Amino acid sequence: MSDLLNRDTRRAAARTARVGTGPTPDQSRMLAAVAFKTSGLVVVIATTLVLISLVSVNSDLTGTLGAIAASWFAVHLVPLSIGGTTLGVSPLLPTLLIGWSAARTVHRAVEADTDNRMVRWVFAASMAGPLAVTAIALAVAKDASAVIGLSSPNALVAFAWVAGVHAAASGTGLIFARWDSLVVRRGLPQWIRALVAPFVRAVSVLVAGGAAVVLLALLASWETVGALVDNGQGVVGMLGLTVMSVLYLPNVLIGALAVATGSTAGFGDASVSLFATTGGPLPPLPILAVLPEGPAQAIWAVMLVVPIGAGLLLGRDCAIRSADTQVALSSVWAVAAATGALTALFGYAAGGNLGTFGTVEVTVWSFGLLTFAWLAVTGSVSAAFVVWRRAEPEQAFEEAAPTPVPAAEAAVDADPEQTDDERVEEVVEAVVVDELPAATVEQPAAEPAAATVDARTDEPLDVEIVAPPGEQDGPAR
């Protein structure tokens, strides 16, 4: 009987524990916000833009839901097929904004002292919301295919792209929110943690260099940009071309960075590299005015300053964190490998098929490999030079340290034209000065003059000894 009672007690305790492990009402509301805040915001913005576009061209609202679903897929880089034409080149700017919003939401939901169970729930919620919206969008696109020319994309490809975008964003938010507990307290080596800042700086320099190349190319072809904007034939058309150019700006920046590293950027039949160009048809998008109209020029080699500068700064950052040459070089190569892999990933995401214009792409393997090579080689040279310069002053100081010379010898060798008496006098003065005590010794107080006896005098003293009264038998001698 006691065993049955104990068994029932344990089962009740287990049920109570299982019930207590669920999220509280406040946590449930927070998880719902994590799941649908970013996704809901994307749907609202897409709906607004679709309605404005349809109304501005005096079109009916037929196919509105299909256009909203297509917008959801486009901002997550999912290839679409519209009217039999495949559109695989999606603008990267909305995708980057969605990733930033998702990472920020997860970062705010997780604190430094949040337990691991809650962290797993937050990550699961950040993935569940976008995947649920993707499932709804697939169903809507399938229904809309009978009204408009939109074909439902491959379900596996759609879920993979959406999951990849939000997993990367949520993981980034969790890493920044739980850096101490996930990285520092797990025993990650210090040299790996020290690579975060050089990696961020190297990527920032590459992005800034690519942006500078795009800006200079736009300024050089400003007349072409104005002519392409005027092709909009109206305020709405001009505004639409301008917005599309801004949305595709990160794609163009990645292409410019690929050319700056020595790789090739292609747009259908047209291609651009540092050494050769090939012409071909292009869509009338103002941002594409950055593509050169003539053959390659020797001055284009100046663009190599972008990867070289990033490598030099990378080597400097790694060298100032370690005085050991081997550690500095290992850090440079590790950051260069991570940066090369990241650029190759973004190079793949920025390309795709553009219907009749062909494939828009950068040569992914050469882009990543050349980025790694430039950073690794120039960074290694810079790191070795900085380590050598930091060690040189100490070595020079040790070599320049004078050997101690006795004071007397130094005084004798000071001036060979002096006489012997002058040399002896200087030697004596040098020894006396060198042996002075550190602190002044306090002299004893002088005794009264009556009590002092001059021991140096040899003159006899006239002293008479007198006996006490009453005890004198005669004069004392």
Side-chain angles (χ1 to χ4, degrees), residues 136-447:
I136 297 174
L138 287 172
V140 171
K142 185 176 182 180
D143 292 338
S145 61
V147 180
I148 58 178
L150 176 65
S151 299
S152 180
N154 185 282
L156 182 59
V157 174
F159 282 118
W161 275 108
V162 173
V165 170
H166 286 271
S170 301
T172 304
L174 287 177
I175 290 176
F176 280 102
R178 299 289 303 277
W179 177 260
D180 292 336
S181 59
L182 293 178
V183 178
V184 178
R185 297 177 185 175
R186 294 294 178 87
L188 192 67
Q190 177 64 31
W191 70 272
I192 296 180
R193 285 180 279 163
L195 299 183
V196 176
F199 173 74
V200 173
R201 186 189 293 269
V203 173
S204 301
V205 172
L206 291 177
V207 172
V213 171
V214 173
L215 179 61
L216 293 177
L218 286 176
L219 293 177
S221 58
W222 189 250
E223 296 181 357
T224 305
V225 174
L228 292 175
V229 172
D230 291 337
N231 289 335
Q233 299 179 354
V235 177
V236 177
M238 296 171 62
L239 181 62
L241 290 175
T242 304
V243 171
M244 290 297 295
S245 298
V246 173
L247 294 180
Y248 277 101
L249 183 60
N251 304 62
V252 177
L253 189 150
I254 291 174
L257 183 58
V259 174
T261 58
S263 183
T264 303
F267 201 109
D269 295 333
S271 64
V272 180
S273 68
L274 287 177
F275 313 103
T277 59
T278 304
L282 299 175
L285 194 63
I287 193 63
L288 296 180
V290 299
L291 297 176
E293 299 179 359
Q297 305 293 331
I299 192 63
W300 291 2
V302 178
M303 288 190 289
L304 291 175
V305 73
V306 176
I308 293 176
L312 294 177
L313 290 178
L314 173 61
R316 174 184 173 275
D317 290 341
C318 294
I320 63 178
R321 286 168 170 79
S322 176
D324 186 84
T325 305
Q326 184 176 1
V327 174
L329 295 181
S330 301
S331 302
V332 168
W333 283 67
V335 175
T339 308
L342 183 65
T343 53
L345 178 63
F346 273 92
Y348 175 75
N353 193 5
L354 194 59
T356 58
F357 291 98
T359 302
V360 179
E361 62 179 355
V362 299
T363 309
V364 177
W365 66 269
S366 64
F367 184 24
L369 185 60
L370 287 172
T371 302
F372 163 75
W374 282 114
L375 295 182
V377 174
T378 59
S380 298
V381 175
S382 176
F385 179 76
V386 171
V387 171
W388 174 73
R389 287 297 302 270
R390 291 179 63 189
E392 184 182 9
E394 299 179 358
Q395 183 179 1
F397 178 78
E398 293 176 358
E399 294 177 356
T403 304
V405 180
E409 183 180 350
V412 171
D413 296 338
D415 190 358
E417 297 181 358
Q418 292 179 339
T419 62
D420 295 340
D421 296 337
E422 292 175 350
R423 292 175 182 175
V424 171
E425 183 179 359
E426 290 182 1
V427 169
V428 173
E429 290 177 357
V431 172
V432 171
V433 172
D434 187 57
E435 295 180 357
L436 279 176
T440 304
V441 180
E442 184 178 358
Q443 299 295 333
E447 297 181 359

